[in-house]
Amino acid sequence: MIHLDPTSRTPIYQQIEEQIAELIVMGVFPPESRLPSVRSMAAETGLNPNTIQKAYQELESEGVIYTVGGKGCFVGGRENAAAVSRERAEEALQEALRQARLAGVEKNTAAALLQQCYGGEEIC
């Protein structure tokens, strides 16, 4: 369910956080459903439980999930998860555009690619 990229510059806890938010947006974890426990997620991913806990804490601070003492972590709702995913996507797009500009990609080319992507063409 969670796929980690150890070669990425993105910290592992943040990769987990981003993927859980995406799974919530996609409906894999519906509102009010219980997330896997920190221990089970750590066992599934082979990570230290502290790493999972940090991801859950970040999600909770963003209002994506909430904790019920002694019962676990639960999905708060899709709206906050969607906002978090959208914010990260905008940051990634901004960085990609910056890299494209530095690499000499013309504004017209970037605009054409954007139009193709949002036009439903195969590029995206």
Side-chain angles (χ1 to χ4, degrees):
M1 185 180 316
I2 302 288
H3 303 284
L4 303 172
D5 180 3
T7 63
S8 172
R9 286 193 267 168
T10 303
I12 296 293
Y13 82 90
Q14 193 172 355
Q15 291 181 44
I16 294 167
E17 180 186 349
E18 290 171 1
Q19 289 185 43
I20 289 174
E22 288 174 12
L23 291 170
I24 291 169
V25 170
M26 292 174 7
V28 174
F29 292 123
E32 305 304 320
S33 66
R34 185 174 184 272
L35 291 175
S37 70
V38 170
R39 285 184 187 178
S40 68
M41 181 74 81
E44 178 184 322
T45 59
L47 297 172
N48 186 310
N50 292 333
T51 304
I52 307 300
Q53 184 64 38
K54 184 167 184 173
Y56 279 16
Q57 285 172 341
E58 291 291 319
L59 288 165
E60 187 167 21
S61 72
E62 293 166 336
V64 175
I65 67 172
Y66 62 94
T67 301
V68 175
K71 299 205 187 257
C73 295
F74 295 83
V75 176
R78 285 193 179 129
E79 300 81 23
N80 290 346
V84 168
S85 291
R86 189 171 34 257
E87 182 180 319
R88 294 221 172 90
E90 288 172 1
E91 289 170 1
L93 179 59
Q94 193 171 30
E95 177 61 20
L97 290 171
R98 187 181 75 74
Q99 290 292 327
R101 191 181 68 222
L102 289 172
V105 174
E106 297 289 327
K107 185 177 181 180
N108 297 1
T109 303
L113 291 169
L114 183 65
Q115 184 61 38
Q116 287 174 350
C117 186
Y118 277 87
E121 296 184 25
E122 293 298 317
I123 193 167
C124 288

